[in-house]
Amino acid sequence: MSLQEKQKKKTIFIFNFTDQKKHNSSPSTAGYFWKMRDHMNDNSEPSNRDYSFIQFYYRWSWWKDNKNAWRRFVLETMGKLKPDQVYSGFSMANPIAFGTRSAVTVWERSLAPRFFGLDIDYPFSMSGSLADGIRPPTWGFLLSDMWREKLDLSRDQIKLSLQHPHIRIDELGAGLWIELGEEPALYPVEDGVPELPALLNKLLKPIRNDHMALLGFGQWDGDPNERFNDADSLRWMRRFDADSDWPSAELRQREAKTTDKQ
């Protein structure tokens, strides 16, 4: 009997692993597993608003050497679990120690304006808001049938909308696994808004949750570090939109003028 089978539906259980002896150190390899509580309504039926999640961190060099094995693992896992949302890309690795998230948010706020492809990934705080919509595109992205149906589009229509020589789409039992290019990219802002994430973003925008609670911790009085506030969080969530002003309106206008001249 598995650990999950031994637990009651209303029970939360957690287990994590890391390659670091000190749990306040950012891992190069780690796995976080959270089974959230199944809330029951008056009819004793599940009415859960919090997603259970599995999160893995791998170092970039490991992925480069094992990307075929990684893809097989991810595709097979999605086939077994049939999840609602799966995504993969570059992000800061959060240490296991709970209080360290406050420090990671400082790095995220510092680096996010420099790289369109840097993701912010903190499923502990997102677990409730994921039920209200999906995230902005990442390099690897599952468009599950549940969310695809909210777009009122068939699988074939999705594939036609994303027809591009550098986009790979795998059909799964749970939905469509989409990869934007051969490998993840950070997309430095000086290179302009990346084409492939912008293409997928345009398709997903109607079901995107722009108010997702992904930041973890805000700024407090006297804090010398810059962190995301609600306004900047909203701008970051919309960074691939055509009318976005992230990271600044001046930079986006300069990029647009350069593109027009070309």
Side-chain angles (χ1 to χ4, degrees):
M1 183 177 292
S2 70
L3 176 62
Q4 186 168 358
E5 289 170 339
K6 291 180 180 178
Q7 305 297 319
K8 295 180 180 179
K9 285 188 175 182
K10 293 186 179 181
T11 302
I12 293 176
F13 72 80
I14 304 163
F15 64 96
N16 307 315
F17 66 81
T18 178
D19 63 349
Q20 299 296 315
K21 293 182 178 179
K22 295 182 178 179
H23 287 184
N24 60 353
S25 297
S26 184
S28 54
T29 302
Y32 303 164
F33 304 78
W34 291 68
K35 163 63 173 65
M36 306 302 286
R37 179 182 292 108
D38 288 339
H39 303 286
M40 309 301 286
N41 59 25
D42 294 338
N43 298 322
S44 297
E45 296 177 352
S47 59
N48 191 18
R49 293 287 294 174
D50 290 327
Y51 272 91
S52 298
F53 64 86
I54 300 172
Q55 180 185 43
F56 291 107
Y57 290 118
Y58 307 105
R59 63 175 66 87
W60 176 236
S61 59
W62 182 93
W63 187 90
K64 294 279 284 187
D65 292 337
N66 298 276
K67 54 186 174 182
N68 291 329
W70 173 89
R71 179 178 286 109
R72 287 196 302 271
F73 167 72
V74 171
L75 296 183
E76 289 174 6
T77 301
M78 287 189 289
K80 293 178 179 179
L81 297 181
K82 293 181 171 53
D84 287 340
Q85 299 195 37
V86 182
Y87 43 90
S88 178
F90 284 119
S91 70
M92 298 291 297
N94 287 273
I96 283 181
F98 213 58
T100 55
R101 173 63 186 163
S102 178
V104 174
T105 59
V106 177
W107 285 98
E108 289 173 339
R109 182 62 184 87
S110 176
L111 293 172
R114 293 168 170 77
F115 301 100
F116 283 115
L118 179 68
D119 188 34
I120 297 177
D121 182 44
Y122 193 53
F124 176 78
S125 63
M126 292 189 302
S127 59
S129 52
L130 283 170
D132 298 321
I134 63 174
R135 302 158 41 82
T138 53
W139 167 74
F141 198 96
L142 175 68
L143 180 57
S144 66
D145 287 334
M146 183 194 78
W147 287 108
R148 176 185 55 76
E149 289 168 1
K150 293 181 184 296
L151 287 172
D152 196 25
L153 294 173
S154 68
R155 289 190 177 197
D156 287 340
Q157 287 174 310
I158 294 294
K159 288 188 285 186
L160 184 61
S161 298
L162 297 176
Q163 197 168 31
H164 191 285
H166 299 303
I167 293 181
R168 168 176 174 160
I169 301 179
D170 290 292
E171 289 219 33
L172 307 175
L176 299 174
W177 175 248
I178 303 166
E179 293 180 7
L180 305 179
E182 293 186 1
E183 59 184 34
L186 279 171
Y187 298 120
V189 296
E190 58 266 25
D191 294 339
V193 180
E195 176 190 10
L196 300 184
L199 181 62
L200 180 56
N201 176 74
K202 184 177 181 180
L203 179 70
L204 301 178
K205 186 176 179 180
I207 55 173
R208 190 181 66 204
N209 180 7
D210 286 346
H211 301 281
M212 191 169 290
L214 52 72
L215 302 181
F217 298 92
Q219 196 164 4
W220 57 86
D221 291 343
D223 183 1
N225 300 304
E226 185 179 12
R227 303 174 188 271
F228 271 99
N229 54 33
D230 290 342
D232 280 351
S233 174
L234 182 62
R235 294 173 58 233
W236 181 84
M237 293 289 289
R238 297 173 175 175
R239 67 193 183 280
F240 297 126
D241 290 355
D243 58 353
S244 171
D245 66 348
W246 179 270
S248 71
E250 294 77 15
L251 180 62
R252 300 284 285 236
Q253 291 169 0
R254 187 163 64 247
E255 292 169 355
K257 290 178 181 178
T258 301
T259 303
D260 291 342
K261 288 180 181 179
Q262 294 174 347

